[in-house]
Amino acid sequence: MKTLAAAAVPIDNRLQRRSTLLWFLPLQAAAAFSVLAIVGGGQMLRTWLLGALLWLMGLPLLVSLEAGLLAMIVFEPLRGLLRRAQYLFLEYAAEDPIHVLTPIVTIFALAALLRLRRLSILHGAPLAGSVSILALIYILEIFNPLQGGLLVGLAGALFMLPPLIWFYFGQSIDDKFLTRALQIMIALGLLTSLYGVYQLTVGYPAFEQYWIDNTEFYESIGVGHVQRALATFSSAEEWGRYAEIGAIAAFGFVGGAKTLRARIGWLLCGAALLGGVLLTGERTAVFGLIVGVATLILLGARTLPSAFIRGGLVLLPIVLVVVFVAPPSDEDMWSKGEDETVSTLLSHTQRGTLKPADEESFQVRLENWEYLLTDVIPYRPLGMGLGAGSLGSARFSRDGDLPPVDSFVLIVAITSGIPAALLFICILARATWLSWTMARADEADSQLATVKRTAAALMPALILNSIFGLTFTLYSVAPIAWLLIGWIGAESLRAKQPQMAPATEHFEI
């Protein structure tokens, strides 16, 4: 028997060596192609790098849905920087294939989720039916001839449809994953904000300045004599919204922390992200952060008198600031030199926060909205197509002459019609009501209760940002917003039926 065992050893070793060799063959081929791509440069190198990114985001789906979502959550805040970094070896081009990576992975994840849970994800939980109807309207509007062509509709779909799919992912996750996702947002918000500070104090690297000099549709990057910082995002608005959500989540985790050290840590994270929001110069993000933190404070009240006291404490510093702090004048902002970037952005934020109605940009926004509400939307009550009013319309349609909209609610009304806009408003309102109901009903000191309060605080901020901004079309923010809404709907059902649990254990692709 010993002889037989000894004789079997060489055979096993040969099989193991052969298996190892077969395992390394794809890696060797990848290494060889990497060398060719680097030597070839240009389009070949970009194609190889984008393929590698797609592989890095898609491969985790073989493990679980949550792993794939985390890969995309990490990628999205870096998309803008990676997009600009390609101009180290390429010339500027308006169309960029990096924008299709996340939609491709999202579609694969949706297909696998449908295989696991069938069509129940489309209607089985609160909000699911309404969101599915909205998704159907979006799909039909891709083919609307009023927008100028199918290519315009497909370009608009890249902004609106893939993020909406994350609603269905939100129905399949638990509070632990949502906590982890928000914590990753906080960490990435801090890191990206540091890079934004670098851009403000040192300046843009050459490849980023090259993109800024050539891009056609980002006039708002200029503030006075300086340029806004973008951090690693595609716009200052996206950076502001991302830091805003991270700050609200950090302040929400303060109340759920078990130790003093943890509370101080989350408080410092929230304060740092607050600084990032101020440096973006995005006033809507500032107001959204105020609304979110105020909601957190009010949700902590156990009785009605306590809620009034907390409300007074929230309003008191706001009233004192408005009454006794004089906002800087517009001339003060323009008087600063090109090297005074931080002070210029802070002056812009301070002026826009203390006197938002007096801002010229706000007056222009109101004029645009009046034109859209009186001369455009009433004459196209069923929408002009999913690409109308988007960058796709500006690039691919000669008839794309709509003014800047700067409101996602109006974007939905223009692209998909008045019924779709009303449906979207109802989805936000009901998600907010469900989140508040869950937060008030769960008084336990647990991780789930903390996540519920944080979700309830994020919803009013998302509503404000949707009225005065484009939150649900921002690459790194829109998926998280829909993920949150999906989780709220499913969690409200699980609260009524405790035996239910998210079905992600046997996720396969």
Side-chain angles (χ1 to χ4, degrees):
M1 294 180 64
K2 292 182 179 179
T3 306
L4 291 174
V9 171
I11 297 175
D12 289 341
N13 284 340
R14 286 196 298 270
L15 289 175
Q16 185 176 6
R17 285 196 297 269
R18 184 179 301 173
S19 300
T20 304
L21 180 62
L22 292 175
W23 172 256
F24 277 106
L25 282 178
L27 297 180
Q28 292 170 343
F33 193 83
S34 298
V35 174
L36 292 176
I38 294 173
V39 173
Q43 295 293 342
M44 180 182 291
L45 180 57
R46 180 171 72 172
T47 302
W48 173 240
L49 292 176
L50 292 181
L53 286 173
L54 183 64
W55 181 79
L56 288 174
M57 285 193 290
L59 188 63
L61 288 175
L62 298 175
V63 179
S64 68
L65 171 64
E66 295 179 347
L69 295 181
L70 287 178
M72 288 186 281
I73 288 173
V74 172
F75 166 76
E76 283 303 317
L78 306 176
R79 186 200 293 207
L81 178 62
L82 294 174
R83 177 192 181 189
R84 297 188 290 272
Q86 70 181 342
Y87 298 123
L88 288 168
F89 52 86
L90 280 177
E91 294 184 357
Y92 178 80
E95 294 79 30
D96 197 327
I98 195 173
H99 296 313
V100 304
L101 298 186
T102 302
I104 290 174
V105 180
T106 298
I107 291 172
F108 279 126
L110 177 63
L113 187 61
L114 284 170
R115 179 184 177 187
L116 175 67
R117 300 185 60 183
R118 306 302 179 185
L119 297 180
S120 62
I121 66 173
L122 303 179
H123 57 79
L127 302 174
S130 300
V131 174
S132 298
I133 294 174
L134 183 63
L136 178 60
I137 295 174
Y138 282 177
I139 293 172
L140 293 176
E141 290 292 345
I142 294 176
F143 307 96
N144 192 323
L146 297 177
Q147 64 194 333
L150 181 60
L151 190 60
V152 179
L154 292 173
L158 284 178
F159 288 96
M160 300 177 70
L161 263 176
L164 185 144
I165 293 174
W166 282 59
F167 169 86
Y168 302 109
F169 303 153
Q171 295 182 128
S172 302
I173 64 172
D174 56 16
D175 59 290
K176 294 181 181 179
F177 176 80
L178 185 59
T179 301
R180 189 179 303 117
L182 292 175
Q183 289 173 348
I184 289 175
M185 284 194 70
I186 294 170
L188 290 177
L190 292 171
L191 292 175
T192 55
S193 294
L194 286 176
Y195 187 67
V197 173
Y198 170 83
Q199 290 173 334
L200 281 175
T201 55
V202 179
Y204 283 100
F207 65 91
E208 292 192 290
Q209 189 62 52
Y210 174 77
W211 175 82
I212 293 172
D213 294 338
N214 285 275
T215 190
E216 307 165 82
F217 304 104
Y218 196 14
E219 298 177 358
S220 63
I221 193 172
V223 176
H225 297 294
V226 306
Q227 293 175 331
R228 298 176 190 262
L230 307 177
T232 60
F233 301 90
S234 297
S235 66
E237 180 181 7
E238 186 180 1
W239 176 24
R241 297 295 188 278
Y242 197 90
E244 170 198 341
I245 293 176
I248 295 173
F251 289 131
F253 292 150
V254 171
K258 302 298 183 181
T259 63
L260 179 61
R261 178 180 299 179
R263 290 189 176 184
I264 294 175
W266 288 123
L267 187 62
L268 292 176
C269 290
L273 289 172
L274 169 61
V277 171
L278 296 177
L279 290 176
T280 63
E282 289 293 325
R283 293 150 294 179
T284 304
V286 175
F287 286 113
L289 180 55
I290 293 173
V291 169
V293 173
T295 304
L296 270 177
I297 295 173
L298 293 176
L299 286 173
R302 301 302 182 189
T303 62
L304 187 60
S306 176
F308 279 114
I309 294 174
R310 287 171 176 259
L313 293 176
V314 170
L315 291 175
L316 181 60
I318 296 176
V319 172
L320 291 177
V321 169
V322 172
V323 172
F324 294 105
V325 177
S329 63
D330 191 54
E331 291 77 11
D332 179 67
M333 183 184 67
W334 282 96
S335 65
K336 298 183 182 297
E338 295 182 1
D339 58 340
E340 299 178 279
T341 53
V342 174
S343 59
T344 301
L345 264 299
L346 291 177
S347 296
H348 176 71
T349 304
Q350 184 181 356
R351 174 178 168 79
T353 304
L354 296 177
K355 281 192 174 184
D358 293 341
E359 283 289 288
E360 181 181 355
S361 59
F362 184 73
Q363 297 297 330
V364 173
R365 181 181 298 184
L366 291 180
E367 293 175 2
N368 291 338
W369 289 356
E370 181 182 3
Y371 166 72
L372 294 171
L373 290 171
T374 57
D375 295 348
V376 177
I377 296 175
Y379 299 98
R380 297 289 188 272
L382 298 181
M384 300 172 59
L386 207 59
S390 69
L391 292 182
S393 177
R395 286 171 177 163
F396 303 123
S397 175
R398 298 178 180 179
D399 300 325
D401 56 351
L402 291 177
V405 182
D406 296 323
S407 170
F408 185 75
V409 174
L410 292 182
I411 283 286
V412 176
I414 293 169
T415 61
S416 306
I418 297 175
L422 295 176
L423 180 60
F424 175 72
I425 294 172
C426 289
I427 292 170
L428 290 186
R430 192 179 178 199
T432 303
W433 175 255
L434 289 175
S435 66
W436 287 0
T437 302
M438 289 192 302
R440 295 296 301 159
D442 194 343
E443 298 183 358
D445 186 15
S446 62
Q447 174 181 285
L448 178 58
T450 300
V451 176
K452 287 181 178 179
R453 287 193 293 268
T454 304
L458 286 169
M459 285 308 304
L462 291 177
I463 292 176
L464 178 67
N465 295 159
S466 299
I467 298 173
F468 295 98
L470 304 174
T471 297
F472 282 83
T473 59
L474 300 177
Y475 301 126
S476 60
V477 178
I480 297 297
W482 280 115
L483 186 80
L484 181 69
I485 294 172
W487 178 83
I488 289 171
E491 186 60 34
S492 67
L493 183 61
R494 287 193 288 266
K496 298 177 182 178
Q497 303 175 9
Q499 70 275 12
M500 293 184 61
T504 58
E505 293 182 0
H506 303 289
F507 183 86
E508 295 181 356
I509 189 169

